[in-house]
C-alpha cells in the first residue's frame, strides 16, 4: 500500500520547519501542491494527502468509508508533527471536510478550508453522479468541481476520471457527522464570489465548529478560484505558519 501523505523536501532542514498539510478536492491528487514549495521555502514543509485511486496510487482500492480514510491519514500524520511541530491544515472543497475531521484528531495551529460546505451543511453531496445514470451535464459539473475542463479530455482519460470522481463522491456519502466537541483552533474559510457550488451560508456555517475564532475570506472567481490563483491564500498560509497572522475574535 502506498503512503497517504506525500512530501517533497528540499533538504534535511525542512524537518525543522512547520508543516502544512494540504488536502485536494474530490477526483484530484496532491501533486498539485508541489508547486507551492517555492512560495513557502524556508517557511514550511509542504505535505499532501493522497487518497488511493489517483496518481502514484491509482491501482489501489478506495477505503470503504470516509472514517477509514481519515484514520489512515491521521496515523501517518501523528509522527510528522511529533514533539510539538507547528501544523496548519488546508483543504479545498471535499478536502476541506477531510481536513476538518483530521484536525479533530490532530489539532493544528489553524484550519483553513476553501470552497467547502461546513460539516452541518454536508448532506448527500455527490448523490447525482455516483451511478451510471448521471447525464453529461451532471458529470461536466463534477469535472469543474475537480478543476478540470472536460473539453480537453480524450475518451479514455474521461472514463478514468469519471470512475475516480464517482468513487470520491461515493466516499463522501459515507460521511456521518458527529458534532462532538468544537475545535479549539482558529478556522479560516475561503470562498469565491462566483462559486455556484458552495453558498455564502454554507461557508459561514464553519463558525459553529470552533471556539477559537472564525474569519471568512472572499476572492473573485468560481469554485476553484483559490487553487487557480493561489498567491493570496499562500501569503495567508505563510503568515499562519510563521504565527504572524492575528487570530480572529473568538466565537460564542
Amino acid at each position: 500500500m502506498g503512503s497517504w501523505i506525500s512530501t517533497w523536501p528540499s533538504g534535511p532542514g525542512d524537518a525543522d520547519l512547520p508543516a502544512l498539510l494540504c488536502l485536494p478536492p474530490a477526483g484530484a491528487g496532491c501533486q498539485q501542491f508541489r508547486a507551492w514549495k517555492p512560495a513557502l521555502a524556508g517557511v514550511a514543509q509542504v505535505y499532501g494527502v493522497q487518497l488511493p485511486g489517483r496518481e502514484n496510487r491509482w491501482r489501489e482500492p478506495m477505503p470503504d468509508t470516509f472514517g477509514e480514510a481519515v484514520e489512515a491519514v491521521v496515523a501517518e500524520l501523528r509522527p510528522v508533527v511529533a514533539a510539538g511541530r507547528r501544523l496548519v491544515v488546508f483543504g479545498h472543497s471535499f478536502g476541506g471536510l477531510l481536513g476538518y475531521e483530521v484536525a479533530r484528531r490532530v489539532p493544528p495551529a489553524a484550519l483553513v478550508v476553501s470552497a467547502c460546505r461546513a460539516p452541518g451543511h454536508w448532506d448527500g453531496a455527490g448523490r447525482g453522479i455516483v451511478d451510471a445514470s448521471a447525464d453529461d451535464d451532471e458529470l461536466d459539473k463534477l469535472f469543474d468541481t475537480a478543476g478540470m475542463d472536460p473539453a480537453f479530455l480524450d475518451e479514455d482519460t474521461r472514463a478514468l476520471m469519471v470512475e475516480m470522481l464517482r468513487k470520491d463522491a461515493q466516499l463522501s456519502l459515507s460521511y456521518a457527522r458527529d458534532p462532538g466537541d468544537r475545535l479549539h483552533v482558529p478556522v479560516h474559510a475561503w470562498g469565491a464570489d462566483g462559486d455556484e457550488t458552495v453558498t455564502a451560508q454554507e461557508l459561514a456555517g464553519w463558525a459553529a465548529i470552533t471556539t477559537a475564532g472564525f474569519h471568512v475570506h472572499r476572492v473573485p472567481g468560481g469554485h476553484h478560484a483559490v487553487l487557480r490563483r493561489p498567491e493570496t491564500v499562500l501569503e495567508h498560509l505563510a503568515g499562519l505558519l510563521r504565527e504572524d497572522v492575528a487570530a480572529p475574535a473568538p466565537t460564542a
Side-chain angles (χ1 to χ4, degrees):
M1 293 291 287
S3 175
W4 288 76
I5 298 179
S6 298
T7 189
W8 311 274
S10 300
D14 282 4
D16 298 323
L17 296 172
L20 173 65
L21 183 71
C22 302
L23 298 97
C30 71
Q31 285 294 323
Q32 60 189 296
F33 297 114
R34 185 172 189 170
W36 288 14
K37 275 183 56 180
L40 296 169
V43 175
Q45 183 172 356
V46 179
Y47 294 83
V49 169
Q50 189 77 301
L51 296 182
R54 68 218 66 212
E55 294 178 347
N56 62 311
R57 303 190 69 192
W58 73 274
R59 291 181 180 271
E60 297 181 39
M62 290 287 285
D64 291 330
T65 67
F66 187 95
E68 288 179 30
V70 171
E71 293 302 332
V73 174
V74 166
E76 291 192 15
L77 179 61
R78 285 195 172 111
V80 171
V81 295
R85 187 182 188 188
R86 187 171 179 83
L87 169 70
V88 171
V89 174
F90 170 86
H92 183 79
S93 196
F94 177 55
L97 189 69
L98 280 169
Y100 161 66
E101 290 295 339
V102 169
R104 294 183 69 185
R105 293 155 175 81
V106 182
L111 171 64
V112 182
V113 294
S114 167
C116 181
R117 300 184 185 110
H121 293 273
W122 200 274
D123 181 20
R127 288 189 188 279
I129 46 78
V130 294
D131 57 47
S133 65
D135 61 28
D136 285 344
D137 287 342
E138 287 178 305
L139 291 173
D140 284 349
K141 183 177 181 181
L142 189 61
F143 275 114
D144 182 65
T145 300
M148 296 169 287
D149 186 341
F152 292 97
L153 300 176
D154 60 53
E155 186 174 344
D156 290 340
T157 301
R158 179 187 171 89
L160 289 172
M161 296 305 299
V162 166
E163 181 181 3
M164 186 171 70
L165 286 162
R166 280 183 167 140
K167 286 179 178 179
D168 281 3
Q170 184 68 54
L171 186 67
S172 79
L173 294 180
S174 71
Y175 176 64
R177 182 182 177 233
D178 176 12
D181 293 333
R182 291 195 287 174
L183 293 178
H184 302 298
V185 302
V187 174
H188 295 259
W190 286 70
D193 297 334
D195 189 348
E196 297 180 358
T197 305
V198 181
T199 68
Q201 181 182 8
E202 290 168 340
L203 197 69
W206 284 100
I209 62 95
T210 182
T211 65
F214 173 73
H215 193 74
V216 173
H217 307 258
R218 305 294 303 185
V219 298
H223 185 65
H224 287 289
V226 170
L227 289 188
R228 287 171 174 160
R229 299 179 182 84
E231 295 81 9
T232 303
V233 77
L234 281 170
E235 183 179 357
H236 180 242
L237 289 169
L240 291 171
L241 290 155
R242 290 191 303 256
E243 305 182 65
D244 61 13
V245 169
T251 55

